[in-house]
Amino acid sequence: MQIRDLPYPDPGVPDATSGPRFLLWLGRSQLGGQIKAVCWGLLHFAGIGGLSVGAGLAVQAVIDRSGGRLAFAGGFIALCGVAISVGDTMLHRTAVTNWITAAARVQQLLARKTAQLGAALTRRVAAGEVVAVSTGDVEKIGWFVEALSRFLAAVIAIVLICVGLVLYLPELGTLVAIGVPVLALAVLPLLPRAAQRADVQREKAGKATELASDTVAGLRVLRGIGGEELFLGRYRAASQEVRKAAVRSARMWSLISAIQVLLPGIMLISVIWYGARLVLDGRIEVGGLVTVYSAVTLLLFPLRHFEEIAMAYSFSRPSAKRAARVLSLERTAFEDERGGLDDARPTGDLYDPATGFRAPSGLLTAVVCGDPDAAGRLAERLGGHAAAEEKSASVLLGGVALDDLPLDAARASVLVQDKDPVLLSGTLRELLDIPASGAVDPEKALAAAQCGDVLDALAQASVDGSGDPMRSRITERGRSLSGGQRQRLALARSLVTDPEVLVLDEPTSAVDSHTEARIAQSVKELRAGRTTVVFASSPLLLDHADRVVFIHEGQVSAVGLHRELLRNDPGYRAVVTRETEDEQRQIMAPAAARAREEIEESA
């Protein structure tokens, strides 16, 4: 895989059982790129190792006053220089390609998982953690994949050089062959503690990122309640913890680096001292000593990759663990006696066995729930995105469990618009260019969502001066629009899809009452014959519903028309009219007194 071939047609199915297994799977998935990098790395290190041989030959040729051998040594050194240049260039090229393609693979896997889970993802994993995985963690995982090939090439080169020195000069080569593994493994006892400190740093940095992400997302609310200083103080404290953890981690890594400078120096001095004694005794030539000395000096370069791979693994392991956690999330599925189903899309009533909620086919059903969080969970469950900890039976559509359907069929059958829909950047035409049945064109959807003023505003802000609102650009997350405008555009987008069942969670909470009433009527007319479920507590919207279901303490408490429930159900009335407990008692007291009087008279 080359960078120009990205994105992957299919990024594959990852092994997300643990962080190390995910890294192993990622390395196997890029086996071809790893082999190329190792081969170029071997050429690079072979050139480096050859310099020591050329230097020894040149020195010995000068001592022996042999011009021919000196010329041969010069040509050999030049050839080694070419090998170093070509090998280093291509190693860097292939290693960076491995880094980028690995990061792209992880990002594609995360994007696919986000598309599969939808809004249920942030219910199971903090939004800040998702951001951390898709940004910083992806780079650290790619760093390990890139460093792995260089490390393998360095290991092979070190083994070959040590074997060559033993065969060339057994007296000095044996010393080098014993000393090099000691140098490579000397820092192993320190790596667990270094990795632990790196994990603590990563964890604290992740928490700080989550805090910053959540704070930015709720910045308007914080400004409204004057909580900016409070959250600023929390983030300042979190950032100081990250700084302290980073300093403690850096101290350990600096100790490892110091050891890798000290021990090679001791070994180099030992080789020079022992080699000089061998030269004085006439057991080896000066050129042989120069060859071994140069080889030991140049071996320090590939030895640095042992420290790099240790750091890369220490930093990438927690990142891979977080990525594996996200990628291991699955849609909740329940087995039953029917087994799998084909791609046929069921029709009929939408029924939730957990709460007893039923939305009859072809009607507009409103849901009133006093607990907003419970309402959000029910909305997600109706779309087939039950939380992992929920073990209730799957929602049924026409008697068919949504979890038994293929994901594409389930998405096409039931669409859930949560209370905080996201608008991607792009033109309005691109926003509405989505998979749909084709029965509802964008103009009808925009009209039903009462987007006339939004279209006027976009037309005035048209960049190309055409005045066409469909060609006007919408900023990221629709930040240039008001809350009500964003809600209406999101509603229009949902109406364009024209699913069999449309679930809307508080679709008009940021809209004024007059516009809300028109939206309720227009949506009911546009969705005639289709099943629509609206979570709301606004009387204007509830009054247009064909059926109102009141959910209390996780179960269906009452079903009927809005006006009937308003008269007959005190709990429903309390939620819709926002009555306090004292107001409820004041309203219920006269009725209770009359009831007692009737009982006394009959007695």
Side-chain angles (χ1 to χ4, degrees):
M1 171 63 70
Q2 299 296 321
I3 297 176
R4 63 176 176 268
D5 299 325
L6 294 174
Y8 286 95
D10 180 11
V13 180
D15 184 352
T17 53
S18 66
R21 291 183 68 87
F22 177 66
L23 289 175
L24 179 61
W25 173 86
L26 199 59
R28 289 201 309 265
S29 301
Q30 303 199 211
L31 190 59
Q34 294 291 341
I35 293 176
K36 288 181 182 179
V38 169
C39 292
W40 288 118
L42 287 176
L43 177 63
H44 173 60
F45 291 126
I48 292 177
L51 289 178
S52 60
V53 178
L57 292 175
V59 170
Q60 192 62 41
V62 171
I63 294 175
D64 297 341
R65 298 179 180 277
S66 173
R69 282 191 292 165
L70 181 62
F72 174 79
F76 184 76
I77 291 175
L79 183 62
C80 291
V82 173
I84 293 174
S85 300
V86 175
D88 190 27
T89 301
M90 297 307 298
L91 172 61
H92 180 74
R93 178 186 178 91
T94 53
V96 171
T97 299
N98 290 338
W99 183 341
I100 294 175
T101 52
R105 185 188 295 273
V106 176
Q107 286 179 328
Q108 279 188 249
L109 291 170
L110 291 171
R112 185 174 67 183
K113 183 60 64 176
T114 302
Q116 289 176 350
L117 296 177
L121 175 63
T122 54
R123 294 185 182 275
R124 305 186 193 182
V125 181
E129 184 171 352
V130 178
V131 173
V133 171
S134 59
T135 54
D137 287 340
V138 167
E139 292 187 5
K140 291 177 178 59
I141 292 172
W143 176 28
F144 174 76
V145 173
E146 179 232 6
L148 182 61
S149 57
R150 289 203 303 268
F151 168 72
L152 294 176
V155 169
I156 297 174
I158 289 173
V159 171
L160 294 178
I161 291 175
C162 288
V163 171
L165 290 178
V166 171
L167 297 177
Y168 176 61
L169 282 178
E171 297 87 348
L172 282 179
T174 303
L175 176 62
V176 175
I178 295 174
V180 168
V182 174
L183 295 181
L185 303 178
V187 296
L188 282 182
L190 299 177
L191 288 180
R193 181 172 295 183
Q196 182 181 8
R197 293 189 179 185
D199 289 348
V200 172
Q201 178 192 355
R202 292 291 95 201
E203 180 181 358
K204 291 184 179 297
K207 290 181 178 179
T209 302
E210 292 178 19
L211 180 61
S213 177
D214 295 341
T215 301
V216 171
L219 190 58
R220 291 187 178 181
V221 178
L222 290 177
R223 288 175 175 172
I225 63 177
E228 295 168 279
E229 290 299 326
L230 174 62
F231 277 85
L232 181 61
R234 290 182 180 178
Y235 183 75
R236 185 180 292 113
S239 63
Q240 288 302 313
E241 291 183 3
V242 174
R243 181 188 62 80
K244 293 177 182 177
V247 170
R248 293 184 73 249
S249 178
R251 286 174 180 170
M252 184 57 65
W253 288 112
S254 63
L255 176 61
I256 292 175
S257 298
I259 291 175
Q260 290 194 329
V261 171
L262 176 63
L263 294 183
I266 294 175
M267 179 179 173
L268 195 60
I269 293 174
S270 301
V271 168
I272 294 174
W273 177 80
Y274 184 58
R277 291 183 62 87
L278 294 177
V279 171
L280 293 176
D281 293 341
R283 297 169 61 182
I284 64 173
E285 296 179 339
V286 176
L289 175 60
V290 172
T291 298
V292 176
Y293 167 77
S294 302
V296 173
T297 304
L298 295 173
L299 274 177
L300 300 183
F301 179 73
L303 279 173
R304 288 206 303 261
H305 293 290
F306 283 76
E307 178 186 359
E308 181 190 18
I309 195 65
M311 292 183 65
Y313 180 73
S314 299
F315 281 94
S316 65
R317 185 168 58 85
S319 298
K321 181 180 178 180
R322 281 195 293 267
R325 180 189 173 194
V326 175
L327 294 175
S328 64
L329 298 176
E330 297 292 344
R331 296 176 68 233
T332 306
F334 302 91
E335 300 294 336
D336 62 18
E337 64 277 6
R338 289 191 308 275
L341 297 173
D342 55 21
D343 292 336
R345 299 176 185 176
T347 59
D349 295 353
L350 184 68
Y351 175 68
D352 177 31
T355 60
F357 169 79
R358 181 181 298 276
S361 176
L363 298 182
L364 172 60
T365 301
V367 182
V368 176
C369 185
D371 183 358
D373 292 334
R377 289 192 294 270
L378 175 57
E380 293 297 333
R381 194 161 60 248
L382 292 178
H385 300 293
E389 62 273 10
E390 294 186 12
K391 300 301 180 182
S392 56
S394 173
V395 170
L396 306 178
L397 177 59
V400 177
L402 285 182
D403 289 330
D404 287 341
L405 292 174
L407 181 60
D408 293 342
R411 286 282 178 84
S413 299
V414 182
L415 174 66
V416 178
Q417 176 184 304
D418 61 19
K419 64 181 62 178
D420 187 21
V422 176
L423 300 182
L424 301 178
S425 60
T427 64
L428 181 56
R429 178 174 286 104
E430 292 171 342
L431 177 70
L432 301 178
D433 184 16
I434 53 179
S437 67
V440 179
D441 56 61
E443 288 74 16
K444 291 182 179 179
L446 291 168
Q450 303 298 313
C451 294
D453 62 318
V454 184
L455 297 178
D456 293 339
L458 291 175
Q460 294 178 1
S462 176
V463 178
D464 57 6
S466 64
D468 184 2
M470 301 299 291
R471 299 175 61 181
S472 299
R473 296 196 64 81
I474 298 174
T475 58
E476 189 265 337
R477 298 183 69 91
R479 299 188 187 280
S480 59
L481 305 173
S482 67
Q485 290 174 330
R486 286 197 300 270
Q487 271 194 340
R488 283 177 283 163
L489 285 181
L491 176 59
R493 179 179 58 185
S494 299
L495 293 174
V496 167
T497 62
D498 189 39
E500 179 66 27
V501 179
L502 177 60
V503 180
L504 305 171
D505 189 2
E506 295 288 353
T508 57
S509 58
V511 177
D512 63 84
S513 57
H514 297 291
T515 305
E516 186 177 38
R518 293 196 299 269
I519 289 176
Q521 181 62 35
S522 300
V523 169
K524 183 176 181 180
E525 294 174 355
L526 185 65
R527 292 282 302 170
R530 294 285 202 180
T531 306
T532 307
V533 180
V534 180
F535 286 78
S537 58
S538 169
L540 291 172
L541 198 152
L542 297 172
D543 201 33
H544 285 84
D546 299 316
R547 192 169 182 263
V548 179
V549 179
F550 177 47
I551 305 291
H552 181 63
E553 295 183 352
Q555 295 294 322
V556 173
S557 176
V559 179
L561 295 176
H562 167 61
R563 297 178 186 273
E564 295 174 354
L565 296 177
L566 204 59
R567 288 194 304 268
N568 303 327
D569 194 304
Y572 176 84
R573 182 169 58 250
V575 173
V576 174
T577 62
R578 274 77 169 179
E579 292 176 355
T580 63
E581 294 183 0
D582 292 337
E583 290 173 337
Q584 293 181 46
R585 284 195 292 268
Q586 292 174 5
I587 294 173
M588 297 299 294
R594 287 195 299 272
R596 285 195 299 270
E597 292 176 358
E598 292 176 357
I599 294 173
E600 291 174 357
E601 290 177 357
S602 61

